[in-house]
Amino acid sequence: MTTVRAQRGAAGVRPVRVGLIGWGTIGSGVIRILRDHRAAIDDRLGAPLRLARVCDLDLDRKREVSVPRSMLTKRAADVLGDPSIDVVVELMGGTGAARSFVLEAIAAGKAVVTANKALLAKHGAEIFAAAEKAGTGLQFEASVGGGIPIIRTLREALAGDRNTAVFGIVNGTSNYILSTMAAEGRSFADVLKAAQRAGLAEADPTYDVDGIDAAHKLTLLVQLAFGARLPLGAVHTEGIRDVDATDMAYARELGYAIKLLAIAKDHGDAIEARVHPTMIPLDDPLAGVNGAFNAVCVHGDALGRSMYQGQGAGMMPTATAVVADVLDVARDRLRGGPRLPPLGYPLSSQRPARVRPIGQVRSEFYLRVAARDEPGVLGRIATLLGRGGISIASVVQRERRADGPVPIVIRTHEIEEKALRRALATVAALPTVAGKPVAIRIEESPG
Ligand code: HSE
């Protein structure tokens, strides 16, 4: 029945033709959805949506789906220079050739769909401006949160609110590693190695575990949520390599989970934007987001807090977001132009962001100091923290040991970061303190 309606609805309408550049895992998912959901997609569009060309430098690798040989090419020019192709889907990744291809496609009047957060974080200003000027559609739902429709939500559903915070778990790999460390009491290095063996983490995990991927995504969320553009370097970025199983255990004991959070807050006069391991209460809904799942929370003046959760990565979840974008720009083609600019608002309304430096950001902190277990040590540490203006909320020292340092765990009240760092340096210099003290920011209720 669906097929019959599709044929009738599509009769006589020129197909919208799609060219795919980058035939990797997500590309295979896109091809599969376009093939398997063809009738329903044609129905929804009211016109046939057809894959016309697939471009990749490596056409011989074994893949999840097959494509007729006649459709394949190694030359991007066969897609970009083909006037019959309406929509270019960029899934090749990287920020060099991908930038050129996206700009070429826009210049040729084609609509563009991309999942490339690194590209948009680095060259977004140029690409958004080009698309807006050319009046072509540009969609990028899959660039943040995989299959979670967070871009569209911020651009449209929350457009009536004044958002004051956007934060969440936007990197599945690091969330998988941290969740596994917490559940199994294992070390970062051990879990990373196992995740790489199982294909759950890249051979080079730098982008994921060092917070870079999350920072790229945060720059996009900030533009959508606050209407302000952050230079990429303005996101304070720390990864999860130094998260220790000991701190995972203490965190749980104190009622917290440790998550890699991307956090942005709009204070009106300045925006803070940061990615770092964060302790959040175990009863916060974000603490229950485990494995490779992602979740983004938005706090708005009118709506309060809302949370969007789902599969943040992977072939089919990410491909659904790409195909929805293809449908969106295909609808634009049939309508004669995009319904909205790429960010939902004209770039001329975008305000330059004044960034609050990390030193001025206020947080509560979890501290772990390794110190010799002798009378007066705790007093000296407390005195130095007090002199630095830091108020202590609680102290835990469980172990007793005569032959080496013991962990002293301290929770502070809210304090400016630079005051905390200054005081902690004086603590680290005590002869009774061994190694570098650990400091993890606590967010009781982000936003
Ligand atoms: N590498 C990303 C992650 C998925 O681990 O979440 C794509 O955004």
Side-chain angles (χ1 to χ4, degrees):
M1 168 135 167
T2 312
T3 312
V4 172
R5 270 196 290 121
Q7 281 168 352
R8 213 185 301 137
V13 183
R14 176 187 170 278
V16 176
R17 288 163 56 85
V18 178
L20 170 64
I21 303 182
W23 185 13
T25 309
I26 310 301
S28 291
V30 169
I31 294 168
R32 186 191 284 175
I33 294 179
L34 288 175
R35 187 191 64 201
D36 294 355
H37 301 181
R38 180 172 164 147
I41 286 172
D42 287 359
D43 257 358
R44 281 182 195 146
L45 185 61
L49 185 70
R50 296 293 172 263
L51 184 66
R53 223 63 217 265
V54 175
C55 170
D56 200 283
L57 288 177
D58 177 0
L59 295 173
D60 302 319
R61 193 167 72 235
K62 198 163 160 31
R63 287 162 160 109
E64 302 259 349
V65 290
S66 62
V67 171
R69 198 82 211 171
S70 61
M71 235 186 234
L72 297 175
T73 178
K74 289 185 176 183
R75 291 165 23 99
D78 290 340
V79 176
L80 300 168
D82 179 344
S84 77
I85 289 180
D86 306 280
V87 178
V88 171
V89 178
E90 182 278 304
L91 295 176
M92 61 185 291
T95 58
R99 171 183 162 271
S100 309
F101 294 164
V102 164
L103 289 172
E104 270 180 58
I106 293 169
K110 300 181 191 308
V112 171
V113 172
T114 178
N116 193 333
K117 57 263 169 175
L119 176 68
L120 294 178
K122 208 163 159 197
H123 300 296
E126 182 186 23
I127 291 169
F128 293 138
E132 195 179 311
K133 187 151 170 259
T136 55
L138 170 66
Q139 298 282 348
F140 48 100
E141 185 62 70
S143 61
V144 182
I148 308 171
I150 184 61
I151 304 285
R152 227 170 238 100
T153 299
L154 284 166
R155 189 166 46 203
E156 301 192 36
L158 303 180
D161 209 347
R162 197 182 79 82
N163 300 313
T164 52
V166 57
F167 53 95
I169 296 165
V170 291
N171 184 267
T173 306
S174 50
N175 198 44
Y176 170 82
I177 293 173
L178 290 178
S179 312
T180 309
M181 285 172 68
E184 299 174 14
R186 288 158 61 199
S187 73
F188 167 80
D190 182 23
V191 175
L192 171 63
K193 222 176 286 157
Q196 284 171 317
R197 271 199 301 269
L200 297 168
E202 305 276 350
D204 177 1
T206 310
Y207 265 55
D208 292 319
V209 303
D210 290 337
I212 302 164
D213 174 73
H216 287 156
K217 291 167 176 166
L218 191 62
T219 63
L220 289 172
L221 293 174
V222 163
Q223 292 191 69
L224 290 154
F226 305 152
R229 192 165 68 83
L230 279 182
L232 182 53
V235 180
H236 174 84
T237 308
E238 294 171 27
I240 61 167
R241 287 184 200 267
D242 293 335
V243 175
D244 196 297
T246 312
D247 299 309
M248 285 278 183
Y250 274 114
R252 174 160 287 276
E253 199 178 308
L254 295 167
Y256 295 95
I258 300 179
K259 296 289 187 187
L260 183 73
L261 290 196
I263 303 172
K265 297 181 188 178
D266 187 355
H267 297 284
D269 61 334
I271 288 176
E272 63 178 70
R274 45 200 170 99
V275 171
H276 51 69
T278 313
M279 284 175 48
I280 51 174
L282 283 170
D283 62 2
D284 188 296
L286 274 177
V289 176
N290 289 315
F293 276 79
N294 281 195
V296 178
C297 298
V298 184
H299 195 281
D301 266 352
L303 178 62
R305 176 169 164 168
S306 56
M307 177 162 129
Y308 310 88
Q309 179 186 355
Q311 307 256 20
M315 176 164 115
M316 298 316 283
T318 309
T320 59
V322 173
V323 174
D325 278 356
V326 171
L327 256 169
D328 218 355
V329 294
R331 288 188 188 109
D332 288 345
R333 300 301 275 192
L334 299 176
R335 193 188 300 113
R339 195 167 52 85
L340 293 170
L343 291 164
Y345 55 83
L347 275 178
S348 56
S349 325
Q350 193 171 61
R351 62 189 168 106
R354 212 181 76 75
V355 180
R356 181 170 288 184
I358 189 70
Q360 290 171 21
V361 170
R362 297 182 66 83
S363 314
E364 293 172 26
F365 279 87
Y366 157 97
L367 308 176
R368 178 166 57 84
V369 181
R372 272 211 303 275
D373 191 10
E374 56 187 44
V377 169
L378 193 53
R380 278 197 289 280
I381 293 173
T383 303
L384 288 175
L385 292 178
R387 256 191 226 146
I390 295 154
S391 163
I392 293 174
S394 66
V395 179
V396 179
Q397 187 208 323
R398 253 194 293 105
E399 297 172 37
R400 291 230 58 193
R401 208 184 294 159
D403 58 344
V406 293
I408 298 173
V409 170
I410 299 166
R411 253 198 68 187
T412 75
H413 287 300
E414 196 181 85
I415 179 75
E416 207 174 70
E417 175 114 7
K418 66 172 179 298
L420 185 282
R421 299 286 166 195
R422 215 181 289 134
L424 215 50
T426 64
V427 170
L430 284 172
T432 40
V433 166
K436 196 171 169 260
V438 172
I440 301 176
R441 299 169 191 86
I442 301 174
E443 290 274 340
E444 281 300 337
S445 173

